[in-house]
Amino acid sequence: MSAPAHVPTASGEQPASPAPAARPGRHRFLPYLLLLPGAAWLFLFFVVPLVQLAAASLYDPAGSLSTGYALTWSFDNYPAALQAYWPQFGRSFWYAGIALVLALLMGYPLAYAIAQKAGRWKHLLLVCVIAPMFTSFLLRTLAWKTILSDNGWLVGLLRDVHLLGPDGRLLATPVAVVLGLTYNFLPFLVLPLYASLERLDRRLLEASSDLYASPLKTFRRVTLPLSMPGLTAGTLLFFIPATGDYLNAELLGTPNEYMIGNVIDSAFLVRLDYPQGAALSFLLMSAILAVVFGYLRNAGTRDVL
Amino acid sequence: MRISRWLAEHWVLGVALLVLGYLFLPIAVVAALSFNRPSSRLSYDFNEFTLDNWRNPCATSEMCEAVLRSVQIGFLATVVATVLGTVMAFALARHRFRGRSGLNVLIFLPMATPELVMGTSLLALFVSGGVPLGFWTIVIAHVMFCVSFVVVTVKARLTGMDGRLEEAAMDLYAGEWQTFRRITLPLVLPGIVAAALLAFSLSFDDFIVTNFNSGTTVTFPMYVWGAAQRGIPPQVNVIGTAMFGVALLLVLATSLAHRARAGGQRRPAP
Amino acid sequence: MDPQTSAGDLRLAHLTKTFGALTAVEELDLTVPQGSFFALLGASGCGKTTTLRMVAGLEEPTRGRVLLGDRDITRLRPYKRPVNTVFQSYALFPHLDVFENVAFGLRRRGIRSVDGQVRRMLSLVQLDGYERHHPAQLSGGQQQRVALARALVNHPQVLLLDEPLGALDVKLRRRMQLELKRIQTEVGITFVHVTHDQEEAMTMADTVAVMNAGRIEQLGAPAEIYEFPATAFVATFLGQSNLIAGDVSGGNGGDLLVTAYGTRFSVPSARSRADQGPVLLGVRPEKLRLAAAAGQVPAGHQHVEGSITDAFYVGVSTQYLLRTGWGTELSVFVANSGAQERFAVGERVVAHWDPRHAFLLGRQVDEDDRTAPMRHEPVGASW
């Protein structure tokens, strides 16, 4: 619809022109042309499957993969699924929530230190945050299994200092699962947070302390509000995959720690109960979206992108 | 007095280093196990130092085939997702058109959707469409969840770019294509490269979505998953460590090159 | 200005640009003679940059035409116009070195051997030896000169400069003003210079157009505009003025008589923009002189009595604020040449001026007096 140049607002001289320089008619169809392949891909392989999954969640639960399914609008699938698996549901949000708090406690100082304190080591430290992701997710989680194992050094140490009883263990407990969740998704929290904190003008902090704010007050009144966009994005990027995860529970926990992801996984791949799996998937997704949008509204930043 | 002030200034760095230690702990374990001769098939304890695993990383041909397949899938998915995503980012950053906000939601949603849901829904699509699961369904799935990340990464770079540079190029006799080739593309390229690397790592490491849509095709994460049940060959750790090392070197090299160039450009302190 | 247009003149005809409800440029008619140094002067948001962008082709006019000689370039894409721009923040390509930045336009026009031209241009802007530096390594002044060389090397018919010195500090700006003027004289290309800095416009330009709210208020040589402004806006935007509200009460030979607050003043009709009805009588603060008593006022001078309410010593001059008998204030700048006595706050004095230094402007009925604000810098001393 217009020439490619985007006009930035210069020093107030440029009258507020919402759109780039107008060349009407010149590129009217270009943006649509550019968007078409990607949007079509997303539509075909993301939207359509979701709609189909929605339909599948309303299939007659009596059908099976071999006998075929009938769309009977059985909304009963939802309450039935919820009734059968509400502990796993609750556990998903509970574990992800605790992991989020732990990740914030670790991630915020890390992001802050890299952005504001690391000086010339900034880039190296940033690489160090991303680096663990270069090793396979599964391998890292399996490594935690080794670290937390009953005859590993960590359990031995904790038993020696009596933080764990003589028969106490870490592996196959909720602690291990939460630890795994925290670990696996921590970089997703740190990176956006870092981006936000890096843009933070150090002079603002100096101005704040010049205006009689204690370090704590400066943090609460200046640093934290200004890092909000990164905090919001990071929290979402952490919370969404953590809630839907099932590998940590599978590898580090026992069926007692199973989250909703494990149930959905087995519904699709083991029990082959598609209607129930679909209903659970949708419940999970709508629960997450509800949390996300509620959170976004409160955080006051809608433009996470 | 001095010490407390120093502590006040630096405790954050201390915490940061501890957290980094936490992040690297499992990597250290993986690296250590890559030099281990396990006492038994299901044992993950360090038994005896050996270089055998590194000398002979393809102990099981199954595993190496899986690695190769993952690289192929990652490459294909990266190329397609990077092209589609970059083109979309350009349209979003440079043009005003109807339906922008709807499109933004379409791009945001895959990132806000649990992988599990994407995996299951795609499975439902493929099964009901009678599409045989395998290599190509994995590629399709990977492109789908990579595209959004590419769009976001490239768009950030594009919107951060000074639009006057393009105007200046046009003013200096560069037509639309020349402006794109000589100015826009070189300046956005770092963003595109970053997006491609991100896409590859997402694809290479993906387990959840792949697990639902792979049929009998085995990627590296799938192989690890399967092997975890019956005892992992130590060579898996070799692959993990090697991947880590290669990626780390790659990133450090580009970052050093970048820094050398930036350092050469830094003007003497006023 | 030259009534007949030559082949290289830049002409704007009824040029209009609206952004939604906002009219940035309104019915602009303007001729910039070939080879002149032309300044578009105005406050932020007056439409001067938009005008420039329309000439460059970066903005498409809503109405009107842009002509270069007889050639209509209104719809031409920017890269098809023999017009180049020095951008406000220079817009140097960060990934190209100085040489490649300067060579950019030549290369795009398919010129193979650019080496000689680029080097010659770099030495014109005194940047020899900087070929392989990147923009980030250069100081503000050097970046500015690269931007200038990058545009000039193409020998455009018209060079547009968008606040090119805005990012530089005062001293450097002065030096670059002279340098720009030197270069313009040397290359003989038409320069159209957009600025909000009246001093900059007056130092460099042959012709200044004062723009306000999308229109040109006055156009002419700097001295002409300064000495005889056409509107109250020009009188107060370009330098400072005391404007006294009054009414034309008659004529006397070559003079107009103005009554203000019961006192009659005369102004030569040649210095009047209005010959009847409500008017503003304008006198520049530096054209006013002070005397201790009415008896000391030279014959033929007009005068106003008052008492000094404020006095600022600013080095080259002393600025006084004078409360007149009718209650408004006048600003008076007295050069500290040692020839005049100094006055203290509270003293009664007589301000007087040569009527040939006054000017008369039309006035809206409800318009009141305006006094030049006091400034803590030696205003008027630099030109």
Side-chain angles (χ1 to χ4, degrees):
Chain A
M1 187 122 71
S2 58
H6 167 73
V7 186
T9 41
S11 57
E13 172 60 34
Q14 192 60 37
S17 62
R23 292 267 162 191
R26 193 174 179 85
H27 294 314
R28 176 161 306 180
F29 299 108
L30 185 64
Y32 296 106
L33 216 64
L34 294 177
L35 290 166
L36 188 66
W41 198 289
L42 285 179
F43 182 78
L44 210 59
F45 300 116
F46 178 73
V47 178
V48 171
L50 275 185
V51 172
Q52 200 163 359
L53 191 70
S57 73
L58 302 175
Y59 285 165
D60 180 1
S64 78
L65 208 50
S66 45
T67 58
Y69 288 107
L71 179 57
T72 52
W73 302 100
S74 14
F75 284 98
D76 290 348
N77 288 346
Y78 282 86
L82 200 58
Q83 199 168 17
Y85 296 108
W86 67 265
Q88 282 85 347
F89 239 107
R91 211 175 279 140
S92 289
F93 283 88
W94 175 232
Y95 284 179
I98 299 176
L100 176 63
V101 172
L102 287 175
L104 280 172
L105 288 177
M106 288 192 277
Y108 205 106
L110 179 59
Y112 184 86
I114 297 174
Q116 294 284 333
K117 298 273 182 191
R120 55 204 210 84
W121 300 104
K122 195 190 297 199
H123 285 283
L124 187 71
L125 289 185
L126 197 61
V127 169
C128 286
V129 174
I130 307 167
M133 298 206 281
F134 298 152
T135 304
S136 163
F137 176 99
L138 282 174
L139 278 181
R140 279 176 287 146
T141 311
L142 287 170
W144 273 112
K145 199 170 174 172
T146 308
I147 296 167
L148 300 174
S149 66
D150 291 343
N151 44 5
W153 57 269
L154 188 61
V155 169
L157 184 78
L158 290 177
R159 279 178 185 164
D160 286 349
V161 298
H162 298 290
L163 274 171
L164 275 179
D167 300 322
R169 49 191 316 216
L170 290 173
L171 197 64
T173 65
V175 176
V177 178
V178 170
L179 212 65
L181 288 172
T182 311
Y183 175 83
N184 272 313
F185 303 111
L186 185 58
F188 296 108
L189 178 79
V190 173
L191 291 180
L193 200 49
Y194 160 81
S196 230
L197 284 168
E198 206 234 347
R199 257 175 278 157
L200 185 70
D201 190 338
R202 191 185 293 257
R203 281 171 304 179
L204 292 177
L205 306 183
E206 288 168 3
S208 168
S209 59
D210 180 55
L211 295 168
Y212 315 107
S214 64
L216 198 66
K217 277 236 176 72
T218 299
F219 176 76
R220 250 176 57 76
R221 299 280 171 203
V222 183
T223 314
L224 194 59
L226 285 173
S227 64
M228 222 40 207
L231 198 60
T232 310
T235 303
L236 293 183
L237 285 179
F238 182 96
F239 190 75
I240 294 166
T243 315
D245 181 76
Y246 64 93
L247 294 174
N248 285 290
E250 178 82 39
L251 292 173
L252 303 175
T254 66
N256 287 331
E257 282 80 36
Y258 271 6
M259 296 163 70
I260 195 63
N262 303 79
V263 179
I264 297 175
D265 179 56
S266 83
F268 275 99
L269 296 183
V270 181
R271 301 199 311 271
L272 299 179
D273 187 348
Y274 278 28
Q276 189 183 59
L280 284 169
S281 295
F282 256 84
L283 280 172
L284 172 63
M285 186 156 162
S286 37
I288 285 179
L289 283 181
V291 172
V292 165
F293 282 111
Y295 181 75
L296 282 185
R297 180 155 299 173
N298 284 326
T301 39
R302 299 222 301 118
D303 44 3
V304 188
L305 290 187
Chain B
M1 184 63 200
R2 270 238 190 99
I3 290 173
S4 71
R5 196 182 164 107
W6 190 89
L7 272 178
E9 297 259 318
H10 292 90
W11 68 269
V12 179
L13 267 178
V15 174
L17 289 178
L18 281 177
V19 176
L20 278 180
Y22 170 71
L23 281 173
F24 271 88
L25 191 57
I27 312 292
V29 171
V30 172
L33 288 179
S34 76
F35 294 103
N36 184 30
R37 192 196 306 280
S39 51
S40 77
R41 217 173 141 68
L42 271 166
S43 159
Y44 297 122
D45 296 327
F46 199 85
N47 181 42
E48 190 188 341
F49 181 84
T50 176
L51 284 174
D52 286 354
N53 308 324
W54 283 86
R55 280 202 208 99
N56 189 12
C58 264
T60 66
S61 63
E62 226 184 312
M63 182 190 84
C64 278
E65 276 165 29
V67 171
L68 188 68
R69 201 166 293 119
S70 274
V71 171
Q72 287 169 338
I73 291 170
F75 180 77
L76 279 171
T78 300
V79 170
V80 177
T82 305
V83 170
L84 294 183
T86 301
V87 161
M88 277 175 107
F90 266 93
L92 282 169
R94 285 286 188 269
H95 296 278
R96 301 276 172 273
F97 52 87
R98 285 153 157 276
R100 257 175 80 85
S101 45
L103 201 77
N104 272 325
V105 171
L106 180 64
I107 288 161
F108 174 71
L109 267 183
M111 294 190 292
T113 306
E115 273 191 86
L116 188 66
V117 177
M118 290 196 281
T120 53
S121 62
L122 259 182
L123 173 65
L125 176 83
F126 289 141
V127 167
S128 70
V131 181
L133 297 176
F135 187 89
W136 292 105
T137 51
I138 299 176
V139 173
I140 286 172
H142 286 195
V143 170
M144 185 268 292
F145 67 69
C146 286
V147 160
S148 297
F149 286 95
V150 174
V151 174
V152 172
T153 312
V154 176
K155 203 174 105 188
R157 181 89 191 174
L158 264 173
T159 45
M161 192 184 140
D162 184 353
R164 268 168 302 188
L165 294 175
E166 288 166 335
E167 292 191 349
M170 292 248 230
D171 185 60
L172 292 164
Y173 311 103
E176 273 90 358
W177 168 245
Q178 287 274 354
T179 302
F180 175 77
R181 202 174 98 63
R182 305 273 170 194
I183 304 299
T184 318
L185 194 59
L187 289 174
V188 178
L189 202 59
I192 298 176
V193 170
L197 287 176
L198 181 66
F200 185 84
S201 69
L202 285 174
S203 164
F204 188 84
D205 198 24
D206 180 73
F207 173 76
I208 297 181
V209 174
T210 312
N211 190 32
F212 283 101
N213 296 289
S214 58
T216 54
T217 309
V218 177
T219 63
F220 181 60
M222 302 270 304
Y223 174 82
V224 175
W225 177 255
Q229 323 289 331
R230 45 176 210 272
I232 292 183
Q235 282 86 347
V236 164
N237 294 309
V238 172
I239 301 293
T241 312
M243 284 294 297
F244 175 76
V246 167
L248 194 61
L249 279 179
L250 211 73
V251 171
L252 280 181
T254 52
S255 138
L256 277 180
H258 182 76
R259 201 189 308 175
R261 216 182 321 143
Q265 278 179 29
R266 200 161 297 133
R267 111 175 64 125
Chain C
M1 297 193 58
D2 203 334
Q4 72 193 70
T5 57
S6 80
D9 290 0
L10 171 68
R11 278 195 298 144
L12 311 182
H14 309 296
L15 202 61
T16 302
K17 178 72 189 179
T18 55
F19 296 101
L22 183 87
T23 303
V25 177
E26 198 174 349
E27 289 289 317
L28 198 68
D29 283 296
L30 191 65
T31 302
V32 181
Q34 184 173 19
S36 65
F37 198 131
F38 188 93
L40 264 178
L41 176 65
S44 288
C46 75
K48 55 193 196 301
T49 293
T50 307
T51 306
L52 201 73
R53 291 173 57 81
M54 286 192 282
V55 175
L58 299 171
E59 209 84 66
E60 192 163 26
T62 312
R63 275 191 306 282
R65 295 193 299 158
V66 181
L67 297 134
L68 208 51
D70 294 326
R71 200 165 151 221
D72 188 335
I73 59 166
T74 317
R75 308 279 148 189
L76 230 48
R77 303 286 290 143
Y79 46 87
K80 297 246 169 84
R81 301 182 183 212
V83 172
N84 291 114
T85 309
V86 176
F87 286 82
Q88 189 165 27
S89 49
Y90 318 136
L92 298 179
F93 305 130
H95 59 303
L96 302 178
D97 61 19
V98 168
F99 186 94
E100 286 304 321
N101 261 284
V102 176
F104 191 88
L106 296 175
R107 292 200 199 280
R108 297 291 84 72
R109 287 187 299 158
I111 295 166
R112 281 287 152 78
S113 53
V114 297
D115 207 65
Q117 288 194 65
V118 172
R119 279 175 206 284
R120 228 172 301 132
M121 194 47 67
L122 282 177
S123 79
L124 181 73
V125 297
Q126 299 170 352
L127 279 176
D128 319 71
Y130 283 90
E131 286 84 354
R132 295 300 158 214
H133 285 60
H134 276 262
Q137 291 169 278
L138 303 177
S139 70
Q142 290 169 329
Q143 292 186 18
Q144 202 276 330
R145 279 180 283 167
V146 174
L148 184 64
R150 184 176 73 172
L152 273 179
V153 77
N154 303 294
H155 295 289
Q157 271 177 273
V158 179
L159 183 76
L160 306 174
L161 302 113
D162 185 4
E163 302 269 7
L165 309 178
L168 307 179
D169 65 59
V170 181
K171 275 210 169 132
L172 196 53
R173 205 181 309 163
R174 291 268 157 77
R175 230 181 59 212
M176 289 304 303
Q177 285 171 6
L178 300 176
E179 213 165 319
L180 266 179
K181 184 71 194 160
R182 169 182 71 82
I183 289 169
Q184 198 265 339
T185 320
E186 241 175 275
V187 296
I189 291 172
T190 313
F191 276 35
V192 178
H193 179 189
V194 154
T195 179
H196 67 269
D197 182 337
Q198 38 137 341
E199 196 183 316
E200 192 174 296
M202 298 185 88
T203 319
M204 294 195 282
D206 320 319
T207 311
V208 175
V210 182
M211 250 184 120
N212 184 31
R215 298 162 169 279
I216 288 185
E217 297 252 338
Q218 191 177 5
L219 186 146
E224 195 182 308
I225 297 185
Y226 186 80
E227 296 299 339
F228 190 20
T231 64
F233 175 82
V234 176
T236 49
F237 185 76
L238 198 70
Q240 306 177 38
S241 294
N242 294 299
L243 298 176
I244 304 166
D247 295 279
V248 175
S249 54
N252 176 16
D255 292 340
L256 282 173
L257 294 177
V258 176
T259 308
Y261 306 101
T263 314
R264 288 170 69 142
F265 302 96
S266 77
V267 185
S269 30
R271 307 247 332 136
S272 304
R273 302 280 184 192
D275 55 6
Q276 57 183 354
V279 286
L280 287 167
L281 173 65
V283 191
R284 297 277 187 190
E286 75 276 10
K287 298 283 173 22
L288 284 171
R289 275 182 263 160
L290 294 180
Q296 295 171 5
V297 174
H301 275 211
Q302 313 279 302
H303 69 269
V304 172
E305 285 183 30
S307 58
I308 291 177
T309 56
D310 248 325
F312 284 105
Y313 176 79
V314 289
V316 296
S317 70
T318 306
Q319 304 185 359
Y320 295 101
L321 212 54
L322 194 76
R323 184 170 292 275
T324 58
W326 55 80
T328 62
E329 287 181 320
L330 291 178
S331 167
V332 183
F333 300 165
V334 178
N336 287 331
S337 58
Q340 278 223 318
E341 57 180 311
R342 305 251 298 269
F343 296 93
V345 172
E347 265 187 272
R348 288 204 63 80
V349 291
V350 178
H352 59 92
W353 66 92
D354 187 327
R356 285 169 300 170
H357 291 155
F359 52 87
L360 211 57
L361 307 170
R363 166 174 76 97
Q364 251 77 56
V365 182
D366 51 349
E367 227 174 326
D368 279 332
D369 283 17
R370 274 196 239 171
T371 311
M374 305 276 270
R375 290 214 293 192
H376 298 255
E377 55 175 291
V379 178
S382 50
W383 60 74

